Structures are given as structure tokens and as C-alpha cells.
Amino acid sequence: MLKQKSKEVIAYIDRQEILNYLQPTGFIPHKFVEMQYKYDFRGSLENDETKLQVIPYVVIRNKKYIVMYKRAGAEERLQSQYSIGFGGHVNIDDKSIDNTILRELKEELNLDIYRNRLNFLGYIFSNRTNVDKVHLAYAYEYYLPRQSLINIEPDSSEISNISFCDFEVVREYPFLEEWSKLLINNLR
């Protein structure tokens, strides 16, 4: 599986270009900036800190609750950590972040969403971990009624222990991955 992913052609942005707009300080509330993506094989980008892989990171929530899950899957650096974000790499066939979000939420959760319910929040740009150093997250939120959680069918090879959790519980949860920690305290 990991070998196959290394041959995947994905979007990236030159780190130098993003520094014209943002500094690597964590979660950055910001308006959406249209940037020109370039594409390369995922395997050649995984350790190249001059190129930031583009990842939409979607939080599914309602007013009081947020979806949290435990990561499974091939990405060893994130395995067994808890997350509030869903998404993945922008593939060359996706053509846009929105299309990536639609594809990823369908693959990971068997969830069909409405684009007009996506709300762009800002960026997650950090140098804290090795994963952070080679990725740029476009953070979004998507409102979903709590009763709709029963319609979600998570891909068990990627996701386990999925549930709607109270925001305050998630804020205090000790096993959150870095991006989730950076984003949760900025959600209202």
C-alpha cells in the first residue's frame, strides 16, 4: 500500500511561495488564497521540506459536538493518534481542493456532502513535527446534525473509534495529533 502511495501524483506548493502569505506558526485564520499547485510523485515529496504537500483538513461538527476518531492506516507517523480532521492529498485528477474533499469524505466515511456547507477556516502551517514540515493544511469545517453520524460508514483500514464528542472533552484530550491540537482551540 505504501509503495503504491509513493507513486501517487499529488499537489504541492513551494515553501518559498507560501512564505509570501503565511509564516509557520500553527493555525492561521486567513482568507482563502488562490495558489498555483505543482504536481510530483508523493514518494519524492515525503521528505522534501522545500515543497509543502497540500491537504484539505475537514472538521465535522455541530454547535456542541465534534467528530473525533483514532487513526489507523499506512501513515505510521500518525497511526494511533486521535484526530478531528478528515482529508488527504490533492491528487492530480481531483483538479481542486473541493473535489479532493468530496472524494476523501466519500472514501473515508462513505459520506456525501454539500459543497455550500463547507466553511474555510484558514491554514495549518507548522514546523513542529516531521509531518508538519512537508504539509500545508487547508482547514475547513462542515456542519452535520448529530443524528447523521449513524449514516457514516468509516473505512476501518484508515479510521477507528469514531464518535461525536463534546468540544470541551476534545480540547482536553491528551492523545490528539498536532494539527487537531492547533485547530481545536480556534473553533467556536
Side-chain angles (χ1 to χ4, degrees), residues 20-174:
N20 294 328
Y21 306 101
L22 308 170
Q23 294 300 310
T25 57
F27 173 70
I28 306 152
H30 201 283
K31 68 181 187 336
F32 188 87
V33 177
E34 199 65 50
M35 289 180 255
Q36 188 65 41
Y37 302 147
K38 297 176 184 173
Y39 294 88
D40 201 350
F41 291 105
R42 182 172 172 180
S44 67
L45 297 171
E46 281 300 335
N47 297 306
D48 186 346
E49 294 180 22
T50 68
K51 298 172 181 172
L52 298 171
Q53 299 166 55
V54 178
I55 307 281
Y57 194 74
V58 182
V59 171
I60 298 173
R61 62 171 296 187
N62 63 26
K63 287 185 187 239
K64 186 174 181 195
Y65 298 97
I66 189 165
V67 174
M68 183 171 75
Y69 67 97
K70 185 176 182 181
R71 285 192 179 270
E75 177 52 81
E76 290 178 13
R77 299 175 292 186
L78 299 175
Q79 211 167 45
S80 297
Q81 294 183 38
Y82 282 80
S83 179
I84 60 169
F86 297 90
H89 292 89
V90 176
N91 293 332
I92 195 164
D93 296 333
D94 291 337
K95 308 272 191 261
S96 73
I97 286 253
D98 284 1
N99 288 340
T100 301
I101 292 169
L102 294 174
R103 177 182 54 77
E104 287 286 345
L105 292 181
K106 185 67 175 173
E107 287 175 6
E108 293 180 0
L109 301 172
N110 196 29
L111 181 64
D112 293 309
I113 66 164
Y114 301 98
R115 289 177 200 245
N116 62 346
R117 290 192 191 165
L118 277 172
N119 179 35
F120 180 71
L121 300 170
Y123 299 91
I124 302 173
F125 184 29
S126 174
N127 287 325
R128 291 184 184 171
T129 71
N130 288 336
V131 174
D132 295 342
K133 290 176 185 178
V134 295
H135 293 87
L136 174 70
Y138 285 58
Y140 290 83
E141 63 186 353
Y142 186 78
Y143 282 84
L144 186 71
R146 188 173 185 188
Q147 64 271 20
S148 295
L149 186 63
I150 61 171
N151 299 326
I152 292 176
E153 299 171 20
D155 175 354
S156 60
S157 69
E158 296 288 329
I159 294 167
S160 66
N161 301 351
I162 188 168
S163 62
F164 252 121
C165 299
D166 184 283
F167 268 86
E168 297 312 313
V169 170
V170 175
R171 281 190 175 96
E172 302 300 321
Y173 199 74

